Amino acid sequence: MTVSGTSTKETAPDQGGLASTLDGSPVAVWAQDVDLRYLWIFNPSMGLSAEGMVGKTDHDVLDAPTAERLTTLKRKAMNTGEDVRETVRTLRDGHDETHDLFIKPVMDDREAAVGVSCVATRLPDSALTLADEANHRIKNSLLIAQTLLRMQRRESGDAAAREALRNAEGQLQSIARFHGKLAAGNAHGWVNIRDYLETTCADLVETFAEDGWLEVTTDIVDEDVDGQAALKLALIVSELITNAFKHGSGRDRLRVHVAFMDEGDRRRLVVEDDGEGLPSEFDPGSHEGIGMRIVRAIAGELGAPPQIDRRSSGARFVFDFPDS
């Protein structure tokens, strides 16, 4: 295996020992510059060669969804200055492999990121089958727990207890759906956000059907996102729709609109309803209600504190997520 390309920022290791060690193994090692162009690579898979990769980006050599995901992970490492490790599925011209990918940001003397160094280990199919089976089992266990909560809610004579049980039921359903998507879609950590959020909203409409009339419309970008981020988005949406329904109870009908948009340098989530709106003194950053505390904690993990748009006649919550 030969290595091509030179760089003043990252020098390829000696070819002899490392190349012979990696040859025939499931491990690939490489470095990319600040623009994520390959500087050098040992032992590439997927039918690729070092000569065909050096000087190019993932978008030049891999399928678009795979390239987008890898670029996002590498940008995350450079933006945070922290190592990233993920299980990733890689597609190219009929090749389909899954790798344990480790990404280390390369920093200069001023602690600015100048690229990444990566190690990818190809995983056997058996490891993926076990992961899919685990997700399937987790989903089934959560759905059983959700059914038990629903039974308890219907038998409870206490209004506060019924509300708490319904909230827990909705959150369990969102998490169960997440594991179901991973098991069924073979996505290995990534899910389609439109499909996932639309299903979450449909589940909530069904949950509240016995207590009142709720309509949820959506406008959600069709793209795959990191599974953990998708789960957190679904939990935020679930909590805000639940709160809107709770505070809008007594009305003949309540309409909620959920939007998730790609705005170039950020992703924006909007959840709004046509209710009576929020009190003038309401502050999403300090409100102590349990629902808002949950939303604030989850959104904070994604780097998007909740904002409210008071120009709306109803409640309108906005979250701007950095594109990292």
Side-chain angles (χ1 to χ4, degrees):
M1 179 61 64
T2 60
V3 179
S4 305
T6 59
S7 169
T8 59
K9 301 241 176 114
E10 180 80 6
T11 303
D14 177 69
Q15 296 183 31
L18 185 56
S20 61
T21 300
L22 294 178
D23 188 31
S25 79
V27 178
V29 181
W30 69 89
Q32 291 167 267
D33 64 17
V34 70
D35 297 318
L36 295 181
R37 297 186 181 280
Y38 284 86
L39 299 171
W40 52 265
I41 183 168
F42 287 98
N43 204 34
S45 59
M46 309 288 292
L48 292 164
S49 67
E51 293 84 354
M53 295 180 70
V54 169
K56 297 180 180 179
T57 69
D58 291 316
H59 286 282
D60 296 323
V61 297
L62 297 171
D63 288 3
T66 300
E68 185 62 31
R69 182 184 179 192
L70 292 176
T71 299
T72 297
L73 293 174
K74 293 167 184 175
R75 289 291 178 199
K76 178 180 179 181
M78 290 198 296
N79 290 342
T80 63
E82 298 178 354
D83 299 344
V84 172
R85 184 176 182 180
E86 292 279 349
T87 301
V88 297
R89 185 182 182 190
T90 310
L91 304 174
R92 176 185 177 269
D93 295 342
H95 293 273
D96 185 348
E97 297 179 357
T98 299
H99 299 85
D100 178 12
L101 174 63
F102 180 79
I103 306 168
K104 177 174 282 295
V106 178
M107 316 299 285
D108 64 14
D109 294 338
R110 295 172 296 175
E111 294 301 312
V114 294
V116 293
S117 295
C118 304
V119 179
T121 304
R122 188 168 63 254
L123 299 177
D125 291 341
S126 58
L128 307 181
T129 301
L130 289 173
D132 291 341
E133 177 64 20
N135 279 312
H136 182 71
R137 290 177 180 270
I138 292 170
K139 180 202 73 171
N140 287 344
S141 297
L142 290 170
L143 289 177
I144 291 171
Q146 179 199 356
T147 299
L148 294 174
L149 287 177
R150 182 181 296 117
M151 293 171 60
Q152 291 177 339
R153 172 169 60 87
R154 288 172 174 171
E155 294 175 2
S156 175
D158 184 278
R162 286 198 304 272
E163 180 184 325
L165 288 168
R166 182 165 55 192
N167 287 352
E169 181 186 331
Q171 303 291 26
L172 274 180
Q173 192 169 46
S174 293
I175 299 170
R177 288 286 188 184
F178 166 68
H179 285 283
K181 296 294 184 188
L182 293 184
N186 200 34
H188 309 304
W190 284 52
V191 298
N192 183 275
I193 192 62
R194 174 188 287 175
D195 181 35
Y196 184 34
L197 289 185
E198 286 182 348
T199 302
T200 297
C201 292
D203 288 341
L204 289 166
V205 170
E206 181 179 350
T207 297
F208 294 128
E210 62 192 62
D211 297 312
W213 194 92
L214 172 67
E215 176 187 355
V216 180
T217 59
T218 60
D219 181 12
I220 300 168
V221 64
D222 184 12
E223 66 179 13
D224 291 340
V225 304
D226 174 76
Q228 291 300 317
L231 175 58
K232 292 172 183 177
L233 290 170
L235 292 174
I236 290 172
V237 169
S238 177
E239 193 62 44
L240 290 176
I241 291 179
T242 299
N243 285 346
F245 186 85
K246 178 179 69 174
H247 294 295
S249 60
R251 298 181 54 187
D252 291 336
R253 60 183 57 194
L254 176 71
R255 291 185 174 89
V256 179
H257 183 68
V258 177
F260 185 67
M261 300 158 284
D262 179 357
E263 299 195 341
D265 61 342
R266 64 183 178 183
R267 301 292 193 274
R268 168 168 284 190
L269 173 68
V270 177
V271 182
E272 57 185 323
D273 62 56
D274 66 348
E276 297 180 358
L278 298 166
S280 59
E281 67 276 10
F282 181 87
D283 180 359
S286 60
H287 186 71
E288 286 303 309
I290 183 63
M292 203 62 235
R293 286 163 56 192
I294 291 172
V295 169
R296 195 161 58 237
I298 297 173
E301 293 176 2
L302 294 172
Q307 310 167 62
I308 54 175
D309 184 352
R310 296 193 181 276
R311 296 172 297 177
S312 175
S313 57
R316 187 173 193 265
F317 289 88
V318 180
F319 305 82
D320 287 326
F321 303 92
D323 189 13
S324 60

